Structures are given as C-alpha cells and as structure tokens.
C-alpha cells in the first residue's frame, strides 16, 4: 500500500515518462496484434485445418483480416467519451484486461475447421474491444500528463509506436508463424499481463472530467451506421453473380446506403443531444476538422500501400527471386523493413521539431512526400531492383512519420481539456475507419484493374502448357479476387486453381512443373498487376495530396516555444479555459470535479 501511495504521489516530471512508456506499450501491442495475422494467415488456417480460399470460407478470411479494425473503428469514440466521463485511466486499464483475456483465449482455440475459425473471429472481436479502449484514451492520458510544449515529442513516440506496430506485426507474424500458429496470439499474453499490472499500479487520473450522461442514442446510431457501411464494403470485394465484385449485390447496396443514412441521422441527432458522444461542435475548430480529414486520407492511403506491397512481394517479386511460396510471408515482412525504419526514425524527430517550430511545415510536407513515393513506385518495373524499391518505401515511411506525430499533437492541443478523451476517440475513429476502408477501396481498385487483363492472360498461359481449352477458359473466367487472395496469403495461385480439378495429374511432368513452379504465375500476372497497381497508387497519391492540402489549410499557427495553437482557435479555447486568451499558452491548472488536477 505504501508503495502504491508513493507511485501516485510521483513528481509530475517523472510521472509523464511513466505515462508515455505505458501508453506507448499499449498502443504498440494493440496495433501489432491488429496486423500480425496478415502475414500469419496461411499458418493459422493450416493450424485449424481450413482452406480459406474455398468458396464457402472466404468470409472467414475477410473477417480475420478486417474484424479487428472494424470493431476498433466503431467503438473507439464511445470509449473516448466514457473516458471523459468516468476517467481515462480507468477505461484504459480495463482495455488492458479485456485485451489480455482475449489473447489467452485465441491461443487456446480448441476447435478445427469452421468452428475453429469462428472461435478465432469472435475472440478477435473481443480483443478489438480492448484495443479500442487503449486507442481511445492513450493520447488523452498523454495530453493530460505532458505540458503543451512537450506534447509533440510525446505524441511522436506514441504515434510511431501505434503506426509502426502495423509494420512490426507483419515481421513478427512471419517469424512466429514459422514456429507455431498459436504463438501468433500467445505473444501478446505476457506483454498484456505486464502492461495490465503496470497500468493499474502506476497510472493516475490527472485530467479534467466531462459532465453529463452516456449518449445511448448516439452510440447505437453510430455503431449501426458504421458497422453497416464497413461490412458492406467488406463484402463488396467478393464476387456476386456474374460480376467480379459485389457492389451490385442488393445486401451490399442496402448496407452502404443504410449505413450512410444512419450516420447522417447520427450527426443530426448529436447536434440536439445535450451530452453527445461525438461532439460535432469540435469540428468548428478548423485545426480539428482539417487535421482529422488529413488523418483519414493518410490512413486510407497507408493501409492501401501495406496491402499492395504484400501482394507485390509475395505474389511476384519473391517467387521470381527464388523464394518458395511457403516462405514468402516471412520474407515479405523482412523486405518491408525500410518502411518501418523510415517511420520510426522520422516520427519522434518530427514530433520534437514541431514542438519547437510548429507543425505547419511538417504535417503537409510529410504527407506530400508520401504522395510522391506512390508515384515513384509506378516508375519502377514489377521485377524491380531492391535498393530502389527499399529507398522509395523508406521515404514513404519518413513522410508518414513527419505527418503523423505533429498532426495528432496539434489536433489534441486544439480542444478543451474536458473533451480530450472524446477528441482522442474521434481522432482514433478516423484513423481506424481509414484502415478498414483501405482494404475495401484498394482491393476493389486492384480487382477492377486485373479484371480487364488477367482473364485473357491467364487463359492463354494455361493453354500454352497443355491445359484443355474448356478448363483453361473456365479458370480464366474466374473472378480475379481468388488469384489476388492467393498471392496475398503466400499460396501458389495456379496450384490452388488447378489442384482441385485433377488436371495437373493428366499433364506432362514438365508442364505441371512449370505451371506450379516459382516463376510461371509471377511472369503471368506482371502485366495485369501493373494495370491494377497503377489505379491503386494513383488513387493513393491523390488522397495523400488532398490530405496534405487539408493539413496545410488548418490555419496559421503561433508556437510560443510550445505546441502551436491555431490563431483562429485561440479565442474559442480561451472561453473553455484550455489556454490563456492573451498569450495563447495553456491556462493555469484547475481542479476537476473529482478533485484531480486538470
């Protein structure tokens, strides 16, 4: 008890580092877990004895990929608001507990087949609830703990951990999947236990609490609308009838239109509710509105890059350079290291520099640099020289790091102290919704690009190696999503397409060996892939440039040697007591309703 008392009486200068290290661990763990299954998917499905590419199993595959980010996007704002009302540390601590329990359950999956897949999906959704609690309150806890002039550095480290975790998860997933598929989930257990104990013992409530009640109506409308929209986009990339994609599926259309309508109703309702979960009045603050728009576009483009590079490496480049399809998941993660390094190096440095010079330069310049790297990727051949590829993705990581930390720091510094949990959750919603949207958007763009060229190319390639005409035309007319998912998962697509038909056994040994070898499919898909990736990366570049313009449009800022406060926001914040109207610097601390210092 005496030890706990000493921790909670910790000097603010020491406590802020404790808060930073713990929230950084929480953010890193949550994002690593979010992406770790992407590379490990083949090992996981082999472990539960289920082929994810069978027609009836594609839904399991999609929910394993998207379920975590979908639930996190839906709940992060609600948990941010609950943090404002009942304590950010309290909700954050609960997040560690839920997250760790789910990690234990995932590693103990007792079933195989469809039942095993459902066990994993359900507990991944539970784990996402814990992740949403961590995401929603980590930056608010940091904003409470750090003075304005140091927030850029703190946010830089925290954001680097959060976003770099998505890349680290790819590498870690490949390494652990090679050992045992259960290790992919088990790795989070000791980290979760340590983080849970540490957060309960060391973190304390230091911020102002908001007042009011839980907005039940707003929570239900928001959850229903966002779930309907994101689920519809998820199923929109699956074939429907004679179409290569499902955008004409009545259920997909209903989900998309209904989801948008519910979200519009949600926004209108929030304007009338006394204590809203989603404080739409914060969007009157220009830096908050434009900063979140930029964050959404950056998240979409960054998510698209991650998925496209995995397909590029696993489906084409690595097999062409002698790697077996079984080993490509691990090596894809390793060859993406420059992207992670660029981000890890750039993020904290830009956070520190933005504290000193303001974020007006770093955020838009970083996102513009990321946009230029998307265009640069279009200038290199599909079978590229690695040092050129590595340099381009390193610069993309640098650009993303320059944007992420200063942008989030400025967003959080622009809102009243009592709304930080809600603002953190809202910012997290935009980022996580962008991650979810990126899968639907960029897979759809890629499939659209492949649909115009892959069928003919695939048919001709099969005919040239002895596959009967009827079978070649039938396989060539299959929706390209199957080939795309096979490449994404590190399977040999030709083996997956021809194996179940029994045709391979009837071909000559040389033709069968060629069709299922390392080079046939990569050579076959190179030109169609170029068509698809051109559409994808041009769209990502446009989003990045629009996001850079939005970051630039946040308004002129003044630094005062601290995190810059937007000029057009200073008066509004002064009214709320967040800053001093005369100086533009943070106002003196007051007491929150529970007696904690603001």
């Amino acid at each position: 008890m005496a030890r706990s008392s000493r921790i909670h009486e910790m000097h603010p200068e020491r406590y802020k580092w404790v808060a930073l290290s713990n929230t950084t661990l929480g953010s890193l763990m949550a994002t690593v877990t979010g992406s770790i299954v992407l590379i490990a998917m083949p090992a996981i499905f082999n472990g539960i004895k289920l082929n994810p590419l069978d027609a009836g199993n594609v839904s399991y595959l999609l929910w394993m990929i998207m379920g975590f980010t979908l639930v996190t996007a839906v709940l992060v704002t609600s948990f941010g608001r609950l943090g404002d009302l009942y304590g950010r540390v309290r909700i954050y601590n609960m997040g560690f507990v839920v997250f760790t329990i789910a990690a234990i359950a995932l590693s103990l999956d007792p079933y195989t087949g469809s039942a095993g897949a459902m066990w994993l999906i359900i507990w991944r959704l539970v784990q996402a609830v814990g992740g949403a609690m961590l995401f929603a309150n980590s930056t608010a806890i940091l904003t409470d703990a750090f003075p304005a002039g140091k927030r850029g550095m703190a946010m830089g480290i925290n954001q680097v951990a959060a976003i770099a975790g998505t890349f680290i998860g790819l590498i870690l997933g490949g390494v652990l999947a090679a050992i045992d598929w259960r290790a992919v989930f088990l790795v989070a257990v000791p980290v979760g236990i340590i983080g849970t104990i540490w957060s309960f013992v060391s973190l304390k409530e230091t911020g102002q609490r908001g007042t009011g009640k839980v907005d039940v109506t707003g929570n239900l409308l928001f959850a229903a609308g966002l779930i309907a929209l994101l689920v519809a986009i998820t199923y929109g990339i699956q074939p429907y009838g004679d179409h290569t994609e499902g955008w004409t599926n009545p259920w997909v259309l209903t989900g998309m239109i209904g989801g948008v309508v519910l979200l519009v109703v949600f926004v209108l309702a929030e304007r009338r509710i006394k204590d809203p979960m989603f404080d739409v009045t914060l969007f009157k603050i220009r830096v908050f509105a434009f900063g979140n728009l930029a964050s959404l576009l950056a998240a979409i483009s960054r998510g698209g890059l991650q998925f496209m590079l995995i397909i590029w490496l696993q489906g084409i480049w690595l097999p062409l350079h002698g790697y077996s399809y079984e080993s490509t998941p691990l090596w894809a993660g390793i060859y993406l290291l420059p992207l992670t390094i660029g981000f890890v190096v750039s993020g904290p440095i830009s956070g520190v520099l933005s504290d000193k010079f303001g974020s007006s330069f770093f955020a838009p310049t970083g996102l513009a640099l990321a946009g230029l790297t998307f265009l640069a990727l279009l200038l290199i051949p599909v079978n590229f020289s690695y040092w050129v590829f590595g340099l381009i993705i390193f610069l993309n990581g640098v650009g993303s790091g320059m944007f992420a930390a200063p942008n989030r720091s400025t967003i959080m510094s622009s809102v009243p102290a009592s709304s930080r949990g809600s603002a953190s959750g809202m910012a997290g919603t935009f980022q996580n919704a962008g991650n979810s949207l990126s899968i639907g958007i960029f897979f759809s763009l890629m499939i659209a690009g492949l649909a115009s060229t892959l069928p003919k190319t695939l048919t001709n390639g099969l005919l040239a190696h002895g596959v009967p005409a009827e079978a070649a035309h039938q396989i060539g007319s299959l929706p390209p999503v199957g080939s795309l998912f096979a490449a994404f998962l590190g399977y040999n697509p030709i083996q997956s397409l021809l194996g179940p038909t029994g045709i391979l056994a009837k071909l000559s040994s040389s033709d069968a060996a060629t069709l299922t070898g390392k080079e046939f499919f990569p050579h076959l898909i190179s030109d169609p892939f170029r068509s698809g990736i051109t559409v994808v990366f041009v769209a990502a570049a446009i989003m990045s440039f629009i996001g850079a313009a939005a970051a630039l449009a946040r308004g002129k800022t003044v630094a005062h040697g601290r995190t810059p406060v937007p000029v057009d926001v200073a008066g509004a914040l002064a009214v709320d007591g967040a800053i001093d109207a005369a100086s533009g610097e943070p106002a003196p601390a007051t007491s929150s309703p529970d007696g904690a210092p603001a």
Side-chain angles (χ1 to χ4, degrees):
M1 194 70 180
R3 170 64 178 162
S4 177
S5 176
R6 286 197 299 271
I7 288 175
H8 285 272
E9 292 174 2
M10 193 182 301
H11 189 278
E13 188 65 26
R14 183 183 174 194
Y15 173 74
K16 69 183 183 183
W17 299 113
V18 172
L20 175 60
S21 54
N22 189 279
T23 55
T24 298
L25 176 66
S27 299
L28 179 65
M29 183 180 70
T31 52
V32 165
T33 303
S35 65
I36 198 171
V37 300
L38 297 180
I39 290 289
M41 205 76 74
I44 292 170
F45 278 99
N46 285 336
I48 62 174
K49 298 177 173 58
L50 187 71
N51 183 358
L53 296 180
D54 284 350
N57 297 335
V58 174
S59 294
Y60 296 131
L61 172 64
L62 286 173
W63 277 102
M64 281 293 290
I65 293 174
M66 296 189 64
F68 188 94
T69 54
L70 190 152
V71 170
T72 304
V74 168
L75 294 179
V76 70
T77 300
S78 299
F79 286 131
R81 177 60 179 157
L82 289 174
D84 281 340
L85 295 178
Y86 301 112
R88 292 151 196 162
V89 170
R90 179 178 297 175
I91 303 299
Y92 178 86
N93 290 346
M94 288 176 59
F96 253 124
V97 173
V98 173
F99 193 95
T100 306
I101 291 173
I104 295 171
L106 284 163
S107 64
L108 298 176
D109 187 351
Y111 303 110
T112 58
S114 298
M118 285 303 301
W119 175 281
L120 294 178
I121 289 169
I122 290 170
W123 281 105
R124 281 279 290 176
L125 299 182
V126 173
Q127 194 173 46
V129 174
M133 293 178 175
L134 296 172
F135 279 130
N137 292 282
S138 61
T139 52
I141 291 171
L142 284 181
T143 308
D144 290 337
F146 277 80
K150 298 294 183 181
R151 281 181 197 146
M153 176 274 299
M155 296 289 179
I157 295 173
N158 188 263
Q159 285 294 291
V160 163
I163 298 177
T166 63
F167 304 123
I168 294 171
L170 301 179
I171 302 168
L172 194 59
V175 172
L176 294 175
I179 300 171
D180 188 275
W181 71 270
R182 294 182 189 273
V184 172
F185 303 111
L186 191 62
V187 68
V189 175
V191 179
I193 292 172
I194 292 170
T196 299
I197 296 172
W198 187 15
S199 65
F200 269 95
V201 170
S202 64
L203 296 182
K204 58 183 179 179
E205 301 288 355
T206 60
Q208 288 185 7
R209 287 193 190 176
T211 58
K213 301 178 180 179
V214 175
D215 176 13
V216 177
T217 301
N219 275 277
L220 292 177
L221 283 172
F222 182 74
L226 195 57
I227 288 173
L229 181 61
L230 294 179
V231 168
I233 290 173
T234 300
Y235 284 96
I237 65 178
Q238 294 191 56
Y240 172 70
D242 296 330
H243 301 281
T244 58
E245 298 177 86
W247 300 112
T248 56
N249 185 330
W251 289 108
V252 171
L253 291 172
T254 300
M256 291 186 66
I257 296 171
V260 170
V261 169
L262 285 172
L263 290 176
V264 170
V265 173
F266 162 75
V267 172
L268 295 176
E270 292 296 271
R271 294 173 62 88
R272 297 176 177 273
I273 292 174
K274 182 180 178 182
D275 300 306
M277 64 159 282
F278 206 93
D279 188 356
V280 293
T281 62
L282 292 179
F283 288 100
K284 294 179 180 179
I285 303 173
R286 187 166 64 177
V287 69
F288 185 84
F290 281 95
N292 277 303
L293 173 61
S295 180
L296 173 66
L297 293 171
I300 295 174
S301 61
R302 185 174 57 246
L305 174 73
Q306 180 174 297
F307 284 101
M308 293 307 110
L309 292 186
I310 291 174
I311 294 170
W312 195 344
L313 289 170
Q314 292 188 180
I316 299 177
W317 195 84
L318 286 168
L320 285 178
H321 287 77
Y323 293 87
S324 67
Y325 278 96
E326 293 76 16
S327 69
T328 57
L330 170 60
W331 286 101
I334 293 173
Y335 278 109
L336 288 175
L337 269 175
L339 182 65
T340 306
I341 293 170
F343 191 89
V344 169
V345 170
S346 171
I349 293 174
S350 62
V352 172
L353 293 176
S354 69
D355 280 336
K356 186 174 183 180
F357 301 108
S359 64
S360 299
F361 168 79
F362 294 99
T365 302
L367 209 46
L369 175 60
L372 290 174
T373 61
F374 287 117
L375 299 180
L377 286 169
L378 296 177
L379 301 177
I380 62 176
V382 173
N383 189 14
F384 49 77
S385 175
Y386 181 74
W387 76 267
V388 177
F389 175 83
L391 177 62
I392 293 173
I393 64 173
F394 172 78
L395 292 175
N396 183 278
V398 170
S400 295
M402 286 178 65
F403 166 78
N407 188 65
R408 179 61 72 92
S409 176
T410 307
I411 287 173
M412 292 302 298
S413 295
S414 73
V415 299
S418 60
S419 298
R420 284 173 183 163
S422 178
S424 176
M426 291 162 76
T429 295
F430 281 102
Q431 183 169 309
N432 286 285
N435 292 335
S436 296
L437 288 169
S438 68
I439 300 174
I441 291 172
F442 287 107
F443 265 101
S444 297
L445 291 174
M446 174 59 79
I447 292 168
L450 289 176
S452 61
T453 53
L454 183 60
K456 182 178 179 180
T457 304
L458 181 57
T459 300
N460 291 339
L462 294 174
L463 289 171
H465 290 278
V467 176
E470 182 179 355
H473 285 288
Q474 182 179 359
I475 292 173
S477 64
L478 291 174
V481 66
S483 298
L484 196 64
F485 277 145
F488 176 72
L489 292 171
Y491 291 128
N492 184 331
I494 301 300
Q495 180 73 51
S496 301
L497 292 170
L498 285 177
T501 67
I503 292 174
L504 282 174
K506 300 175 182 178
L507 299 177
S508 67
S509 57
S510 60
D511 282 331
T514 299
L515 288 172
T516 57
K518 298 174 183 177
E519 296 188 4
F520 176 76
F521 182 75
H523 281 305
L524 187 76
I525 201 177
S526 290
D527 288 339
F529 180 80
R530 169 61 67 186
S531 300
I533 210 166
T534 297
V535 177
V536 167
F537 283 159
V538 167
I542 292 172
M543 289 183 190
S544 296
F545 293 140
I546 295 174
L552 193 62
R554 292 177 311 185
K556 186 178 179 181
T557 60
V558 287
H560 297 296
R562 301 172 177 269
T563 297
V565 180
V567 172
D568 63 325
V569 178
L573 294 183
V575 172
D576 288 302
I579 67 170
D580 180 79
S583 67
E585 298 184 1
T590 58
S591 294
S592 64
D594 63 348

